[in-house]
Amino acid sequence: MSKQIERIQTGVRMEKRIVKVLKGLAEHLDISLGDLLEGMALHCFENKAPFSDNTLEKIKILKQVYDLELTASDSHRLLEKEAD
Protein backbone atom coordinates (compact mmCIF):
# COMPACT_ATOMS: atom_id res chain seq x y z
CA MET A 1 0.00 0.00 0.00
CA SER A 2 1.44 3.35 -1.04
CA LYS A 3 1.72 6.28 1.35
CA GLN A 4 1.57 9.89 0.28
CA ILE A 5 4.62 11.93 1.25
CA GLU A 6 6.19 15.34 0.63
CA ARG A 7 9.77 15.49 -0.65
CA ILE A 8 12.19 18.42 -0.37
CA GLN A 9 15.47 19.35 -2.04
CA THR A 10 18.56 19.01 0.12
CA GLY A 11 22.03 20.43 -0.20
CA VAL A 12 24.08 17.70 1.42
CA ARG A 13 27.81 17.32 0.80
CA MET A 14 29.28 13.84 0.63
CA GLU A 15 32.60 12.22 -0.21
CA LYS A 16 32.97 12.04 -3.99
CA ARG A 17 33.65 8.30 -4.31
CA ILE A 18 30.76 7.41 -1.98
CA VAL A 19 28.41 9.37 -4.24
CA LYS A 20 29.78 7.57 -7.31
CA VAL A 21 29.15 4.17 -5.71
CA LEU A 22 25.65 5.23 -4.63
CA LYS A 23 24.80 6.53 -8.12
CA GLY A 24 26.13 3.33 -9.69
CA LEU A 25 24.09 1.23 -7.30
CA ALA A 26 20.93 3.25 -7.94
CA GLU A 27 21.46 2.80 -11.68
CA HIS A 28 21.99 -0.95 -11.19
CA LEU A 29 18.78 -1.20 -9.14
CA ASP A 30 16.92 1.05 -11.63
CA ILE A 31 15.84 3.53 -8.95
CA SER A 32 16.67 7.15 -8.29
CA LEU A 33 19.49 8.16 -5.97
CA GLY A 34 16.89 9.75 -3.69
CA ASP A 35 14.87 6.53 -3.50
CA LEU A 36 18.03 4.59 -2.68
CA LEU A 37 18.98 6.99 0.13
CA GLU A 38 15.42 7.03 1.52
CA GLY A 39 15.32 3.24 1.58
CA MET A 40 18.72 3.02 3.26
CA ALA A 41 17.70 5.55 5.91
CA LEU A 42 14.38 3.82 6.66
CA HIS A 43 16.12 0.46 7.04
CA CYS A 44 18.82 1.94 9.29
CA PHE A 45 16.20 3.71 11.46
CA GLU A 46 14.84 0.23 12.27
CA ASN A 47 18.32 -1.33 12.60
CA LYS A 48 17.65 -3.50 9.53
CA ALA A 49 20.17 -4.31 6.81
CA PRO A 50 19.15 -2.47 3.63
CA PHE A 51 20.86 -4.78 1.10
CA SER A 52 20.69 -8.41 0.00
CA ASP A 53 23.82 -10.51 -0.41
CA ASN A 54 23.64 -10.00 -4.21
CA THR A 55 23.43 -6.23 -3.80
CA LEU A 56 26.36 -6.26 -1.36
CA GLU A 57 28.42 -8.05 -4.03
CA LYS A 58 27.53 -5.31 -6.53
CA ILE A 59 28.54 -2.67 -3.96
CA LYS A 60 31.89 -4.46 -3.49
CA ILE A 61 32.50 -4.28 -7.24
CA LEU A 62 31.48 -0.61 -7.44
CA LYS A 63 33.79 0.23 -4.53
CA GLN A 64 36.67 -1.35 -6.45
CA VAL A 65 35.76 0.50 -9.65
CA TYR A 66 35.71 3.87 -7.86
CA ASP A 67 38.67 3.16 -5.54
CA LEU A 68 36.54 3.55 -2.41
CA GLU A 69 38.50 2.10 0.49
CA LEU A 70 36.56 3.88 3.25
CA THR A 71 34.67 1.70 5.73
CA ALA A 72 32.11 2.24 8.47
CA SER A 73 34.94 2.66 10.96
CA ASP A 74 35.99 5.81 9.05
CA SER A 75 32.57 7.36 9.64
CA HIS A 76 32.64 10.71 11.50
CA ARG A 77 36.46 10.81 11.21
CA LEU A 78 36.83 12.17 7.69
CA LEU A 79 38.70 15.41 7.12
CA GLU A 80 37.95 17.42 4.01
CA LYS A 81 40.96 18.22 1.85
CA GLU A 82 41.78 21.92 1.78
CA ALA A 83 41.16 23.73 -1.49
CA ASP A 84 44.28 24.50 -3.53
Side-chain angles (χ1 to χ4, degrees):
M1 182 173 214
S2 298
K3 295 187 178 184
Q4 192 170 26
I5 60 167
E6 178 183 359
R7 288 197 168 99
I8 61 168
Q9 277 300 118
T10 66
V12 298
R13 292 170 50 91
M14 294 179 68
E15 200 278 334
K16 184 177 181 177
R17 295 166 297 169
I18 293 173
V19 173
K20 287 181 177 186
V21 170
L22 289 170
K23 283 182 174 182
L25 182 59
E27 178 69 24
H28 172 73
L29 297 172
D30 197 28
I31 60 176
S32 72
L33 178 59
D35 283 345
L36 176 64
L37 295 173
E38 282 177 347
M40 289 169 54
L42 290 171
H43 278 78
C44 290
F45 291 164
E46 295 183 24
N47 198 29
K48 294 182 178 179
F51 302 120
S52 68
D53 289 341
N54 289 340
T55 303
L56 289 172
E57 282 300 315
K58 183 63 175 184
I59 291 169
K60 183 177 179 180
I61 293 167
L62 289 166
K63 286 177 68 175
Q64 290 173 347
V65 167
Y66 293 112
D67 297 321
L68 179 60
E69 77 285 349
L70 299 172
T71 67
S73 64
D74 296 310
S75 183
H76 309 296
R77 291 196 258 163
L78 302 174
L79 298 174
E80 193 162 351
K81 184 169 76 171
E82 293 184 26
D84 295 328

